Amino acid sequence: MQQLKNRLAFLRLLLVLLFCTAAVYLAWLVQKPELIQTAARQGTYTCTAGTARGTIYDRNGVPLVNTKTACIAVVSPTPAAAEALLSHVTDTAAFYEKLAQGMPFTCTVDTADIDCPDVTILQIPQRSTSPQLAQHVIGYTREGSGVAGLESAYDAILHSVDSQWSVTFSVDGTGTPLAGEPKQIRYGANPTAGIMTTLDSRIQRICESAGSGLEKGCIVVMDVESGDILGLASFPGYSADSLGDAVSDPDSPMIQRALYAYPVGSIFKLVTAACAFDQGVGYNFTWDCDGAISVGTQRFRCHELQGHGVQHMADAMRSSCNPYFIALGQALSRSDLLQTAKSLGFGTEIMLTSNMIASGGTLPTLQQLKLPAEQANFSFGQGVLTASPLQIARMTCAIAGDGTLPAVRLVRGVTDDGRTVLREERGIPESGIAPETAAFLRRLMCYTAADEDFQGRPAHVSMGAKTSTAQTGRCDVDGTEYCHGWVTAFFPAEQPKYAVTVLAEDGGYGNQAASPILRQIAGAIMQVE
């Protein structure tokens, strides 16, 4: 009996030792890194095919992004999948690399018509297209976040939309999909929520087409009454798919030129005329232009070397006679002239969004204007004076209207459905100039646009306009000075609805470089109305 008890005790001890040994071994196993990683991969694996941000619309609810779809294949790496996809993938090298890893992956294909149980085709909205309409306004994203333009300024709103396409697989410990197990497919939706701009996609296309021949420059189209920007195009353009090329391009295609300040030139003669009208000398002032005028020790020449002869205000505006406006400027109060410029928006920044702000440009000080030559330069838009194309377009709206400077707007507000705006964003107009002064300037601009030599007016469109050739002080290798060609206009003349400003940066004469573009834009806009 005692011997039996001893054997049972020994057996119990042996079992305890075996159990402890097994426990220690299992504890050691679960601490091995490769087994920890294998365990982490067991169960399911979700392969995200794509996501969609909120939509950016034009003023009529036309989407400017998310307009096309891409076919994304979510692949279970099997020989059957490889055979079905190989002739349709857009990047063969990347496809082979992913296939060799043995885990589910995604690739872009050229068709949605692929019949293979190991391949799921998801059609996902493309954020942008190439070319992208209004690229400078839209901006671009990086890794799902806005980097420039509206994509950046409204990133929080656009990013808040949760729309995702994915496929979830059952996998083994190595991440390989389990054969015969069902997969879960999550279909996102092309989001309707987002922001609504003031752009009109039809007018935007007109601007981009008409300006396609510009090496450098920009076009602004505004609604005269509201100040809404209907078209905003900058040249040269760029593509979000080739940002590296754009960054290294010496013509700086990524900048929005409508927001930058440039020498203005003869367009500023409208300001001098406004000041003269307010001081009661607008109709009566005459000057006999003999081709040049001296102010102090400096001599200013007219572009018409033989001179224009005796000029009244309307003729001087049409012929853009520099000596006339220099003489007129000398007869005006420098402080009044400076204040008139400010009243028409010169020197004031224009904020479109938090990251798109039009430069206020530069104005001479009263102290600088005490120099007769500086006041002479200022009178016809040269010297230290600069302004942005957006400022010029806004001034044109004031002239075409009742003298009020409208609140410039690029974004109407947030939308849930692409049709209605939840919180309409509106600014406050500024007083500008008197209605009588605006009417006087309209008459001058209409008289100027009626000149048979003016190249900016389509045959069937009435308008008021002013061209400009602004000196830059820079010369090419042959010593020829670079000049910016400008034109600003409103139309129809009887009931102005649109204001258009065109800048041909380093383009030469305004009537040759900018006016023909205006003619295309005005003609096309009146046809789509």
Side-chain angles (χ1 to χ4, degrees), residues 122-410:
L122 298 175
Q123 297 188 60
I124 302 173
Q126 288 182 281
R127 188 59 186 171
S128 60
T129 57
S130 186
Q132 168 65 54
L133 190 67
Q135 178 72 77
H136 290 87
V137 175
I138 299 299
Y140 57 92
T141 62
R142 183 181 296 124
E143 297 180 354
S145 296
V147 176
L150 295 178
E151 293 279 24
S152 174
Y154 289 86
D155 184 60
I157 292 172
L158 299 172
H159 195 68
S160 65
V161 176
D162 182 19
S163 189
Q164 185 180 92
W165 288 256
S166 65
V167 178
T168 299
F169 297 87
S170 296
V171 295
D172 63 18
T174 64
T176 304
L178 297 174
E181 291 292 325
K183 52 192 175 185
Q184 298 177 352
I185 303 174
R186 177 183 177 182
Y187 294 96
N190 197 344
T192 59
I195 60 171
M196 188 172 287
T197 70
T198 63
L199 296 177
D200 186 315
S201 57
R202 300 168 301 174
I203 292 177
Q204 183 68 29
R205 285 191 177 88
I206 289 170
C207 292
E208 294 187 13
S209 175
S212 60
L214 278 175
E215 291 187 15
K216 292 184 291 184
C218 66
I219 299 168
V220 183
V221 180
M222 292 177 64
D223 182 288
V224 164
E225 183 177 359
S226 68
D228 283 356
I229 297 175
L230 306 177
L232 190 64
S234 184
F235 306 93
Y238 74 95
S239 171
D241 296 330
S242 54
L243 294 177
D245 294 339
V247 170
S248 59
D249 191 323
D251 287 336
S252 304
M254 296 182 71
I255 68 172
Q256 173 55 274
R257 284 175 156 80
L259 310 183
Y260 278 66
Y262 296 87
V264 174
S266 294
I267 285 175
F268 190 80
K269 291 170 182 173
L270 294 166
V271 179
T272 306
C275 183
F277 179 83
D278 288 342
Q279 293 189 11
V281 296
Y283 288 108
N284 303 322
F285 190 86
T286 60
W287 184 258
D288 187 359
C289 172
D290 61 4
I293 184 173
S294 295
V295 177
T297 59
Q298 190 162 343
R299 191 163 177 80
F300 297 87
R301 297 192 177 278
C302 185
H303 64 87
E304 185 65 48
L305 298 181
Q306 303 303 315
H308 292 102
V310 177
Q311 297 273 285
H312 292 273
M313 175 76 76
D315 290 330
M317 188 67 74
R318 174 181 277 189
S319 63
S320 203
C321 178
N322 288 345
Y324 176 94
F325 282 94
I326 290 171
L328 177 61
Q330 297 297 305
L332 300 176
S333 160
R334 64 178 66 93
S335 61
D336 287 347
L337 183 57
L338 185 58
Q339 183 55 50
T340 303
K342 292 178 180 178
S343 297
L344 283 167
F346 288 85
T348 302
E349 289 184 343
I350 302 174
M351 176 176 284
L352 302 180
T353 67
S354 59
N355 62 347
M356 284 189 276
I357 303 172
S359 169
T362 54
L363 280 170
T365 64
L366 274 176
Q367 187 65 30
Q368 289 173 312
L369 289 179
K370 289 181 180 179
L371 297 172
E374 190 59 48
Q375 185 170 351
N377 273 316
F378 189 48
S379 300
F380 69 105
Q382 291 290 166
V384 301
L385 175 71
T386 62
S388 71
L390 194 59
Q391 287 174 300
I392 299 301
R394 188 188 188 205
M395 177 190 73
T396 306
C397 286
I399 294 170
D402 63 358
T404 301
L405 281 172
V408 183
R409 193 171 63 152
L410 178 62

